[in-house]
Amino acid sequence: MLGLGALGVAVGADVQRGTDRFVAPLRENDPTGLTDLLPSGGFRYYSVVASVPERTSADYELRVHGLVDRPLTLTLDDLSRMPQTELVRDFQCVTGWRVTSVRWTGVRLADLLDAAGTRPGATALTFRSFDGAYTESLTIDQARRPDVLVALTMLDGPITHDHGGPVRLYVAPMYGYKSIKWLAEIEVVDTVTPGFWEQRGYDVDGWIGKSNGRDDEPV
């Protein structure tokens, strides 16, 4: 397995995606944790629960609700039909590793908020994962940045389950814990609620190189 992981990193995205498909079921049933050592497209695999249910393109839904005029329930097809934005940016983990020049495409979070229509008093967002445990937050101003995506593709293909697919958040200027995987729900709220890792000591505003006591180069 370690050889396959190294091979995927060495020869590129197509082989890596094949490697990910092979390794994913092993990770889900690995009591040793050794498969977490495998690179996943150059990424490390992290989850805060023992097992994450899978969602396919047929059964995936994203809820946008809370302080909005028009609550939304969006399928993957709905999201795919919205205007798409492409970004090529690094992904920086707060634990120190970085994957350079990752190609992402998806819907700007600002466009989703415009489609839902935020109400007066809306100042923040709460994000929830369909893993049943992970949460995150952004202020409205942070969420409206042009480099914050509800991502549908990465590494030149659909987002795999291990990478948080079929839909995840990508917050380019912040550490990876802000880019919640397995995105299921966006609630528009009136105050920031610290997310899963922030409740355990991480900074709520996770700017790369300006938070968490780290001095990494911005992406």
Side-chain angles (χ1 to χ4, degrees):
M1 288 188 295
L2 287 170
L4 283 169
L7 178 66
V9 172
V11 303
D14 287 343
V15 169
Q16 184 61 55
R17 283 195 292 273
T19 302
D20 288 348
R21 285 193 294 271
F22 171 78
V23 172
L26 301 179
R27 282 194 175 106
E28 290 292 320
N29 298 283
D30 175 20
T32 69
L34 290 175
T35 50
D36 287 352
L37 300 175
L38 289 171
S40 184
F43 287 69
R44 307 295 185 267
Y45 176 84
Y46 295 126
S47 173
V48 300
V49 297
S51 174
V52 180
E54 296 205 28
R55 297 286 185 270
T56 68
S57 57
D59 61 17
Y60 177 80
E61 289 185 340
L62 172 63
R63 291 184 62 213
V64 184
H65 66 105
L67 297 176
V68 298
D69 296 323
R70 297 171 294 277
L72 304 173
T73 300
L74 301 167
T75 67
L76 191 58
D77 284 344
D78 293 332
L79 291 165
S80 299
R81 285 193 290 267
M82 296 182 71
Q84 303 293 300
T85 295
E86 179 180 295
L87 295 175
V88 180
R89 298 285 193 280
D90 297 352
F91 184 94
Q92 175 70 52
C93 182
V94 74
T95 61
W97 55 268
R98 176 178 289 213
V99 182
T100 60
S101 301
V102 180
R103 188 182 307 277
W104 307 82
T105 65
V107 180
R108 285 184 179 177
L109 183 51
D111 292 342
L112 275 187
L113 295 178
D114 288 343
T118 55
R119 294 179 180 174
T123 63
L125 304 179
T126 295
F127 304 91
R128 296 183 181 92
S129 169
F130 62 74
D131 71 359
Y134 201 89
T135 60
E136 251 311 326
S137 68
L138 291 173
T139 68
I140 287 285
D141 288 343
Q142 292 166 354
R144 287 192 170 279
R145 288 178 57 103
D147 52 2
V148 177
L149 298 182
V150 173
L152 309 183
T153 76
M154 63 180 287
L155 300 173
D156 299 315
I159 300 177
T160 66
H161 178 69
D162 275 10
H163 286 303
V167 175
R168 67 173 295 164
L169 195 67
Y170 175 57
V171 184
M174 294 190 179
Y175 286 106
Y177 66 90
K178 302 296 293 189
S179 296
I180 184 171
K181 299 196 291 187
W182 306 299
L183 181 62
E185 186 178 336
I186 302 171
E187 184 179 4
V188 181
V189 294
D190 60 2
T191 189
V192 169
T193 299
F196 181 91
W197 283 117
E198 288 125 35
Q199 296 171 28
R200 291 158 176 80
Y202 285 14
D203 288 351
V204 173
D205 295 324
W207 304 107
I208 295 171
K210 298 180 181 179
S211 68
N212 297 283
R214 298 189 59 86
D215 61 356
D216 303 284
E217 290 292 325
V219 302

